[in-house]
Amino acid sequence: MAQQHHDSTAGDALTEYLQSQATEFLRSLRLHGESGVDAAEAAEAALALRRAARRISATLHTFRPLTDQAWADGLRTELAWLSGTLALEHAYASRLDRLLEALHRLAGAPHLPPARTADPEAGGPGVLTGTATAAPRAKRPPHEQSGGGKPAALAVGAARAGALLERQLTLARTRAHSAALQALGSSRFHAVADAVAVLASEVPVAPAEAEDLPPLAARVEARLSEAVAVLPLGRAGHPYNAEALVHGLASTPGSEQQDAPWHQVRLLLRLHRYAQEVLGADAARLAGASEALDRHRDAAEAAAASAAAARTPRIAPATAYALGVLHADQRHEVEAARFAFQHLWHRSMAAAT
Amino acid sequence: MAQQHHDSTAGDALTEYLQSQATEFLRSLRLHGESGVDAAEAAEAALALRRAARRISATLHTFRPLTDQAWADGLRTELAWLSGTLALEHAYASRLDRLLEALHRLAGAPHLPPARTADPEAGGPGVLTGTATAAPRAKRPPHEQSGGGKPAALAVGAARAGALLERQLTLARTRAHSAALQALGSSRFHAVADAVAVLASEVPVAPAEAEDLPPLAARVEARLSEAVAVLPLGRAGHPYNAEALVHGLASTPGSEQQDAPWHQVRLLLRLHRYAQEVLGADAARLAGASEALDRHRDAAEAAAASAAAARTPRIAPATAYALGVLHADQRHEVEAARFAFQHLWHRSMAAAT
């Protein structure tokens, strides 16, 4: 099945891309497992591993007709499992960072410690993120001593909201850490690593002609365009439209429903960018729009975490108030990300024509 | 002191402007006091009365050197007292409308009744606003029956937050209503009305030449320009800068401090517009910018009312959470108003040159 003997064609471009991503995957895995790597190196290796896994999976999806399809589908399922498992710990850690940073900004500097990433003392390296695992952070004073009077209750609320979010997200992260450890020791993981190792030397793709790749890449681009066409870009381009908070206090919050098409575009834009990479085209002009949708997703999940924390039984009203402010703040970040996306998207479309 | 015998000069422009505003003041007062006017007519009369009072007061301020200054200062003090007293009831009513409308939007349509202004059944006309006075609104169900489960707690929170704000702001409005009634029956009020009646026929302004008015108007414009120059317009022009919520949860909230220069520009812009009216210049191009700063003030006060309500003892966490979301929503309206102002201001400056 190896394609090394062909002339350099577009089919080879696919083979070469998959091989280089597989090699990167294996390099990251080896680097991460090495003794003596520090937390930052391990975190970087974990990100690189997930980046390569995403690209392999996306490429097998886009160019599926050119591959051994049963094999491609099987590997994609396993890569999705691995990426998903490894991503969770990092997701909880960065969600907590985002929320503490926002509380920090909302409450003023003295009331909250710097965000987790700036504090290398907080604990040992995580499985794959290099951040603190389960070590609780130093407790901050439960009361703002200097203020006195009623406004101080809000500062207390911010501190308590931070402590509550930290407790809940650290617990979630600890569980994700255990799950990741378990995954990395499983035979299922070793089977994925073996499959990627095979991919690094022999890619099971059919002999492809130069003209085989672009139509498949174009199909992805068409799906992306259709998905973008249903986004309310006109409204998103009007600053302060307050759309992201609409129905935010309803018994059935409307955020999931309104966020879904943006999340869908995020995934399709990634597929499109990776397909462009395979073709050797310039995908960098789309990086900004892609990052805006990453921020959109992160802010939406942080807002949801704040709303979820507010449903903890027996919290103080000041804590709940702070979580409400924080929720709205993050929903406005959602709206800001949409505004940024529509701007970057229109600009990249204008540059392309 | 009457100026009727002069030729039509710029000095006459001042006299004529003051006379026409005084006439409008008296007409509104008479219309308001007439038996048989309905609530809408009374409200319109009250707005017209305050509008005329503002213009008389501003004109006496800007063109003070051309008037009997002791008399002008005395009348301005009395007009400020009257306007302030009459404005409060309307301010509380419209603040409640704004907050209920926002909660309505945030909670979805079924959970809150339409805003007060759409409900003529709620009570008799107010002293000067034509809206309900102290009649409590029909109670909405304290629980959202349909939802069930945790998200419903948020809808309950929104309903309770609305009920709490309604209670607090209706109480404040009722007190303002009583104070306005008392003011309208006082000898102090009758003295103001008499002074304005004199103004309608004889204006105590010095014989002024055409060239006397523009320098005084220019002085106001210069003060306005200086005040606008210290506003962070660059930052305000960058959408979603999150400035308005900075330190919103601090023990000493930073909002009053950051709002003050905008409030100052609002007052100076009004002075400037009225001075332009006296000169017969076109002040309409500044109306949009002026309205943006009115919205800025209203949203800032609504946000403060929401924060104040959250400090009510023994409220439920769901109520506090909803008030936090509402506070942040209104602070974003503050930011949106700043964005709108800088846009309109730059546009009106470009049109002027």
Side-chain angles (χ1 to χ4, degrees), chain A residues 105-108 150-151 154-155 239-241 245 247-251 307 310-311 315 317 320-321 323-325 327-328 332 335-336 339, chain B residues 105-108 111 150-151 154-155 239-241 245 247-251 307 310-311 315 317 320-321 324-325 327-328 332 335-336 339:
Chain A
R105 167 168 51 80
L106 294 169
K150 284 174 171 180
L154 300 188
Y240 299 107
N241 56 67
L245 255 177
H247 292 191
L249 286 173
S251 52
R311 294 191 291 268
I315 57 173
Y321 176 84
L323 290 168
V325 171
H327 172 80
H332 276 96
E335 203 177 291
F339 176 78
Chain B
R105 167 168 51 80
L106 294 170
H111 308 301
K150 283 172 169 180
L154 300 187
Y240 298 108
N241 56 68
L245 253 177
H247 293 190
L249 287 172
S251 51
R311 294 192 290 269
I315 56 173
Y321 175 84
V325 171
H327 172 80
H332 276 97
E335 202 177 291
F339 176 79

Side-chain angles (χ1 to χ4, degrees), chain B residues 91-347:
Chain B
Y92 287 123
S94 66
R95 195 168 307 157
L96 180 57
D97 279 349
R98 168 179 270 273
L99 286 165
L100 292 183
E101 203 176 295
L103 273 176
H104 199 67
R105 167 168 51 80
L106 294 170
H111 308 301
L112 288 165
R116 171 179 310 272
T117 44
D119 185 0
E121 304 296 311
V127 169
L128 285 167
T129 63
T131 57
T133 55
R137 298 177 61 77
K139 286 275 176 286
R140 67 183 67 83
H143 291 272
E144 169 57 27
Q145 305 293 347
S146 65
K150 283 172 169 180
L154 300 187
V156 173
R160 286 191 180 168
L164 177 61
L165 288 166
E166 183 149 5
R167 212 154 51 232
Q168 296 186 338
L169 289 172
T170 301
L171 178 63
R173 195 160 61 91
T174 305
R175 287 184 179 149
H177 179 75
S178 303
L181 272 183
Q182 206 167 4
L184 288 177
S186 69
S187 55
R188 186 175 179 182
F189 170 72
H190 291 295
V192 184
D194 288 347
V196 176
V198 169
L199 190 62
S201 54
E202 300 177 58
V203 178
V205 303
E209 300 299 328
E211 57 269 32
D212 291 339
L213 298 185
L216 294 170
R219 204 182 290 176
V220 167
E221 188 166 13
R223 284 181 63 205
L224 171 63
S225 299
E226 281 163 29
V228 171
V230 303
L231 293 180
L233 287 190
R235 188 165 173 81
H238 183 76
Y240 298 108
N241 56 68
E243 175 81 5
L245 253 177
V246 160
H247 293 190
L249 287 172
S251 51
T252 309
S255 52
E256 279 179 33
Q257 206 181 334
Q258 64 165 257
D259 294 349
W262 300 86
H263 295 332
Q264 175 69 3
V265 167
R266 176 177 166 270
L267 297 177
L268 287 171
L269 181 52
R270 210 150 78 174
L271 270 189
H272 172 57
R273 283 172 53 217
Y274 299 159
Q276 295 305 107
E277 286 180 5
V278 171
L279 297 185
D282 178 24
R285 69 185 170 85
L286 295 167
S290 209
E291 278 159 22
L293 293 178
D294 289 347
R295 278 205 308 284
H296 179 273
R297 193 263 324 259
D298 292 346
E301 290 183 346
S306 190
R311 294 192 290 269
T312 307
R314 287 179 300 280
I315 56 173
T319 310
Y321 175 84
L323 290 168
V325 171
L326 185 59
H327 172 80
D329 176 72
Q330 291 299 305
R331 289 304 300 173
H332 276 97
E333 293 278 308
V334 165
E335 202 177 291
R338 291 179 189 171
F339 176 79
F341 172 78
Q342 64 78 33
H343 175 71
L344 293 164
W345 178 258
H346 286 138
R347 206 171 61 178

Side-chain angles (χ1 to χ4, degrees), chain A residues 98-99 102 105 299 302-303 325-334:
Chain A
R98 168 179 268 274
L99 287 165
R105 167 168 51 80
V325 171
L326 185 60
H327 172 80
D329 176 72
Q330 291 299 306
R331 290 303 301 173
H332 276 96
E333 293 277 307
V334 165

Side-chain angles (χ1 to χ4, degrees), chain A residues 160-255:
Chain A
R160 285 191 182 169
L164 177 61
L165 288 166
E166 183 149 3
R167 212 154 51 233
Q168 295 186 338
L169 289 171
T170 302
L171 178 64
R173 195 160 62 91
T174 305
R175 286 183 180 150
H177 178 75
S178 303
L181 272 183
Q182 206 167 5
L184 289 176
S186 69
S187 56
R188 187 175 179 183
F189 170 71
H190 290 294
V192 183
D194 287 348
V196 175
V198 170
L199 190 62
S201 54
E202 300 177 59
V203 178
V205 303
E209 299 300 327
E211 59 268 29
D212 291 339
L213 297 185
L216 295 171
R219 204 182 290 176
V220 168
E221 189 166 11
R223 284 181 62 204
L224 171 62
S225 298
E226 280 163 30
V228 171
V230 302
L231 292 180
L233 288 190
R235 188 165 173 81
H238 183 76
Y240 299 107
N241 56 67
E243 174 80 6
L245 255 177
V246 160
H247 292 191
L249 286 173
S251 52
T252 309
S255 52

Side-chain angles (χ1 to χ4, degrees), chain A residues 248-272:
Chain A
L249 286 173
S251 52
T252 309
S255 52
E256 280 179 32
Q257 206 182 334
Q258 65 166 256
D259 295 349
W262 298 87
H263 294 332
Q264 175 69 3
V265 167
R266 176 177 166 270
L267 297 177
L268 287 170
L269 181 53
R270 207 150 80 174
L271 270 189
H272 172 58

